[in-house]
Amino acid sequence: MKELNWAIIGPGQIASEFAQTLHANGRKIYGVGSRSLERAQAFADKNYIEKAYGSYDEMLNDPAIDVIYLATPHSNHYGYLLKCLENGKHVLCEKAITVSSRQLDPVVRFAKEKNLIVAEAMTIYHMPLYQKLKEIVDSGVIGEVKMVQVSFGSLKPYDVNGRFFNMNLAGGALLDIGTYALSFTRFFLTSQPTEVLTTVKPFETGVDEQSGIILKNPDDQMAVIALTMRAKLPKRGIVTGDKAYITVDNFPRADKATITYPDGRTETIEAGNTAEAMVYEYDYMNAVVNGELEEKTLPLTEGVMKIMTDVRDQWGIRYPFE
């Protein structure tokens, strides 16, 4: 495998976690950019990064860089995605990859034109546990999949100006935590949902505070999803068939699941390591860019974004910059 040079756009908390996790597991980041060289250098020094750039344009113009890890707030992913692709860089983009299909579709088209890889840093698609669970489901252990149920409640502090509740920053539960719930759902459904029912309670700023979503696909599989940003709910995903059901607690970076059978028997499934979630994303992207793996996650990402776009359109919630 050719060693690829990675660089970071968006030197914040999630990017620091990414760089620190990679360093702890024997991987490295080549560069980091910021709007000031001082900030970029401080981030590089703290996070074991070789090179700092005083502007994103300077960094993107460096031919030594192969892959960008895009970790800015999702409200400005669209512009940076296009800029990265224009400069010939592959991109692993933090979730949500964009705020709607209206943004994602042109990005996907442009990436194909440029023969570049764009993927979302959605842990569910890369954790070894989910690969193992998919094999179990496909083998028929739980029977025919009938329903998926997901809950995710994140109790955010009340702050009308904070990014979680700010319309100008694409706030709201759907794009922040709902993307995980819908990615879990779409991963196990055998086809894209075509029926979407939903209701929402808006926050006072106009973003979605909490919601319920019901999905149904052409295979008659259904999903029920509960989201809230102002109350705690377990991060729990359940996949149920006619022979057993699978429960995954703390599902975004899970390394353990339970199969429960009708007679009450349970079976624990373990794979991977929660602490290495970002390493799996990094290794996957390297393998895809090097041609060792076929990229298969983008259609799932597109499907999730289509659902989220449909849901927000039904709510009548649209961000000012869309």
Side-chain angles (χ1 to χ4, degrees):
M1 179 187 289
K2 174 192 171 187
E3 184 172 347
L4 302 173
N5 285 331
W6 284 64
I8 291 172
I9 288 180
Q13 182 178 346
I14 192 72
S16 181
E17 181 186 352
F18 186 72
Q20 293 278 344
T21 300
L22 294 179
H23 176 76
N25 287 276
R27 279 78 163 171
K28 64 180 182 179
I29 298 292
Y30 172 77
V32 60
S34 180
R35 291 186 179 89
S36 78
L37 181 59
E38 183 181 10
R39 185 183 179 206
Q41 190 62 60
F43 187 91
D45 292 343
K46 176 185 175 184
N47 293 288
Y48 311 99
I49 295 172
E50 181 178 335
K51 192 166 183 180
Y53 301 83
S55 75
Y56 292 137
D57 286 338
E58 179 191 358
M59 187 177 76
L60 290 173
N61 284 327
D62 187 343
I65 294 171
D66 302 294
V67 186
I68 298 296
Y69 174 63
L70 180 54
T72 63
H74 54 240
S75 54
N76 58 28
H77 282 177
Y78 177 63
Y80 282 124
L81 280 164
L82 293 178
K83 186 177 282 287
C84 291
L85 295 172
E86 285 170 2
N87 285 274
K89 312 302 183 188
H90 306 280
V91 189
L92 179 67
C93 183
E94 267 302 331
K95 58 84 190 169
I97 190 167
T98 58
V99 304
S100 69
S101 294
R102 291 177 283 271
Q103 291 187 342
L104 182 57
D105 291 349
V107 168
V108 172
R109 286 196 299 269
F110 192 34
K112 288 178 180 176
E113 289 172 12
K114 300 280 284 185
N115 198 29
L116 293 166
I117 303 300
V118 170
E120 185 177 44
M122 174 50 65
T123 50
I124 288 163
Y125 300 152
H126 303 101
M127 296 297 294
L129 176 70
Y130 285 101
Q131 309 310 314
K132 191 168 184 177
L133 291 179
K134 191 68 164 61
E135 291 173 3
I136 288 170
V137 170
D138 290 346
S139 73
V141 168
I142 71 167
E144 184 180 346
V145 173
K146 296 291 188 180
M147 182 171 281
V148 176
Q149 185 181 73
V150 192
S151 64
F152 195 149
S154 182
L155 181 55
K156 302 298 185 187
Y158 177 86
D159 182 359
V160 295
N161 297 311
R163 75 169 185 87
F164 296 116
F165 301 107
N166 191 323
M167 283 288 285
N168 293 316
L169 297 177
L174 185 66
L175 285 179
D176 190 70
I177 59 177
T179 184
Y180 285 114
L182 286 165
S183 295
F184 179 97
T185 299
R186 184 64 191 90
F187 186 80
F188 288 106
L189 294 180
T190 54
S191 60
Q192 177 73 11
T194 52
E195 297 181 41
V196 180
L197 301 175
T198 183
T199 189
V200 65
K201 175 187 181 295
F203 189 69
E204 63 190 81
T205 58
V207 305
D208 54 300
E209 176 187 322
Q210 63 186 40
S211 63
I213 303 168
I214 299 175
L215 307 173
K216 184 181 177 186
N217 66 13
D219 301 315
D220 285 334
Q221 297 168 328
M222 296 181 66
V224 180
I225 297 148
L227 305 170
T228 179
M229 291 277 270
R230 292 287 293 141
K232 203 69 178 169
L233 277 175
K235 301 173 188 174
R236 179 173 296 145
I238 300 172
V239 183
T240 184
D242 51 15
K243 293 181 181 178
Y245 65 87
I246 298 170
T247 303
V248 189
D249 286 314
N250 297 313
F251 68 85
R253 298 186 180 187
D255 54 17
K256 183 185 297 186
T258 303
I259 303 176
T260 303
Y261 297 93
D263 61 5
R265 284 184 304 116
T266 61
E267 179 182 355
T268 299
I269 307 297
E270 296 184 68
N273 184 344
T274 294
E276 297 176 22
M278 290 176 157
V279 177
Y280 302 130
E281 296 173 336
Y282 176 89
D283 287 350
Y284 173 85
M285 190 70 175
N286 282 335
V288 170
V289 171
N290 276 320
E292 298 171 358
L293 282 179
E294 181 183 354
E295 207 299 298
K296 293 185 177 180
T297 66
L298 189 57
L300 296 174
T301 298
E302 291 180 279
V304 169
M305 188 56 64
K306 186 177 185 306
I307 295 168
M308 293 200 293
T309 303
D310 186 356
V311 164
R312 279 202 301 115
D313 285 349
Q314 288 189 42
W315 294 341
I317 295 177
R318 192 150 177 177
Y319 300 115
F321 54 85
E322 282 189 79

